[in-house]
Amino acid sequence: MQRIQESELIINNRGAVYHLDLRPEELAHTIITVGDPDRVATVSKHFDRIEHKRSHREFVSHTGILGKKRLTVISTGIGPDNIDIVLNELDALVNIDLLTRTIKPQLTQLNIIRLGTSGALQADIPVDSFVVSTHGLGIDNLLNFYRYEENEEEKQLLQSFITQTQLSQRISQPYICGGSAHLIKHFVNNFHHGITVTCPGFYGPQGRILRLGLSNPHLIDRLTQFAFGPHRITNFEMETSGIYGLGKLLGHHALSISAIVANRVTKQFSKDSQAAIEELIKNALEIINNW
């Protein structure tokens, strides 16, 4: 096997991958990702015990036991650029021998579940509800740097999206990837399902106007009105498509679940977003512990 050079995979002086500062034995094979580093403890407080705690930059991780399951919860920070770091380094921890710097002959499949926040793009999805992303549709361009090709259904869905939203290539070359059916099947009751659009920013890319004008001022309306067969866009945020795309390319199961803290159609914002996030965490952990 070809050796991966030191400049390509950085390993620190304690034998951990550089950004996450994790060693292979410090990572569970079921992983919960959150954006906010402070939210890691909000998840791990439900663990029966914590085995490992690491912190480097915005990447905080706790690995421990919940019931009979070993879990890692890790913060990614905000945005698809951070997802590129997190997904690649999580995969390296299980599928690259860090001593020989070679890819292992037998690959390990991870379960990666994002618990985050999001804005709804449909009037019938209220604040404080939960959305499971059937697909991640990226207008962030991350996956365009990798060798990725959509399946036939995804290609048709994507072409319809480009036609209906009239997104120019100057802004984005969109891509789409489905979530793991293996994980989605556990999150059905009391969850909305739909396409999640991933944006490369919070203000202009999500149609917000403060002091700057927008190149696509009708983006919100076009996302809300999009339809392709049974599919519609339910929400948008800044990580899902990268998690789904890289997860699929690397051979992992990936799922994104969002607590809706804002509805961009009805212009409402949650009166207690922390309570909604806490409820999502408790519900998700109960499901994970029982599957």
Side-chain angles (χ1 to χ4, degrees):
M1 297 294 288
Q2 185 174 358
R3 186 176 184 274
I4 299 169
Q5 297 300 315
E6 282 77 2
S7 61
E8 310 307 292
L9 175 61
I10 303 168
I11 299 172
N12 67 21
N13 58 12
R14 72 177 203 96
V17 291
Y18 174 67
H19 295 93
L20 304 187
D21 191 25
L22 282 172
R23 296 191 299 233
E25 67 272 17
E26 296 168 343
L27 181 72
H29 290 177
T30 296
I31 299 158
I32 295 169
T33 72
V34 296
D36 184 354
D38 291 338
R39 199 174 295 153
V40 171
T42 306
V43 176
S44 68
K45 72 181 182 182
H46 297 283
F47 292 0
D48 298 319
R49 69 177 186 274
I50 297 174
E51 299 173 343
H52 303 286
K53 290 185 177 183
R54 301 302 306 172
S55 178
H56 183 223
R57 299 187 179 183
E58 62 264 62
F59 307 110
V60 175
S61 61
H62 293 176
T63 295
I65 304 296
L66 176 66
K68 296 182 179 179
K69 282 196 168 55
R70 190 168 187 252
L71 303 173
T72 293
V73 53
I74 186 166
S75 60
T76 64
I78 300 174
D81 49 347
N82 278 21
I83 294 303
D84 184 58
I85 291 171
V86 173
L87 266 289
N88 276 289
E89 292 195 1
L90 289 176
D91 180 76
L93 285 166
V94 295
N95 290 322
I96 295 174
D97 186 318
L98 300 188
L99 294 177
T100 63
R101 292 179 166 273
T102 58
I103 298 172
K104 295 178 180 179
Q106 298 294 323
L107 299 180
T108 296
Q109 191 172 58
L110 299 171
N111 293 318
I112 302 170
I113 302 166
R114 171 190 174 272
L115 299 180
T117 58
S118 183
L121 289 168
Q122 301 294 335
D124 63 345
I125 299 178
V127 295
D128 301 330
S129 63
F130 308 135
V131 171
V132 168
S133 303
T134 59
H135 300 76
L137 198 161
I139 58 174
D140 58 279
N141 287 320
L142 173 59
L143 223 63
N144 297 327
F145 290 88
Y146 294 93
R147 295 177 181 174
Y148 174 75
E149 185 174 355
E150 289 88 359
N151 63 36
E152 284 307 312
E153 181 195 30
E154 291 169 345
K155 286 179 181 177
Q156 293 176 26
L157 205 162
L158 190 59
Q159 185 55 54
S160 180
F161 172 81
I162 293 170
T163 300
Q164 292 185 45
T165 59
Q166 300 178 34
L167 274 179
S168 71
Q169 290 190 1
R170 190 174 70 87
I171 295 177
S172 172
Q173 184 63 46
Y175 62 91
I176 191 168
C177 184
S180 167
H182 172 75
L183 297 180
I184 289 174
K185 68 182 181 182
H186 297 288
F187 297 87
V188 177
N189 294 331
N190 301 316
F191 292 92
H192 299 274
H193 285 220
I195 299 170
T196 297
V197 169
T198 295
C199 304
F202 183 78
Y203 288 96
Q206 293 187 29
R208 290 182 170 93
I209 300 173
L210 300 184
R211 290 204 315 118
L212 300 177
L214 302 179
S215 64
N216 192 344
H218 304 295
L219 178 63
I220 300 292
D221 291 338
R222 288 172 178 165
L223 294 179
T224 299
Q225 294 162 5
F226 171 79
F228 181 77
H231 300 289
R232 66 173 183 167
I233 294 169
T234 48
N235 59 314
F236 60 4
E237 42 74 85
M238 296 174 61
E239 290 88 30
T240 295
S241 64
I243 294 172
Y244 280 13
L246 289 177
K248 183 176 181 179
L249 286 174
L250 292 166
H252 304 301
H253 291 296
L255 178 65
S256 178
I257 311 174
S258 298
I260 297 300
V261 297
N263 188 300
R264 297 296 299 283
V265 178
T266 64
K267 307 300 182 184
Q268 293 176 310
F269 193 85
S270 172
K271 291 182 171 59
D272 192 349
S273 59
Q274 291 305 312
I277 294 164
E278 176 66 31
E279 185 67 18
L280 174 60
I281 290 168
K282 289 193 294 185
N283 289 351
L285 288 176
E286 181 177 1
I287 292 170
I288 292 168
N289 193 36
N290 289 319
W291 71 33

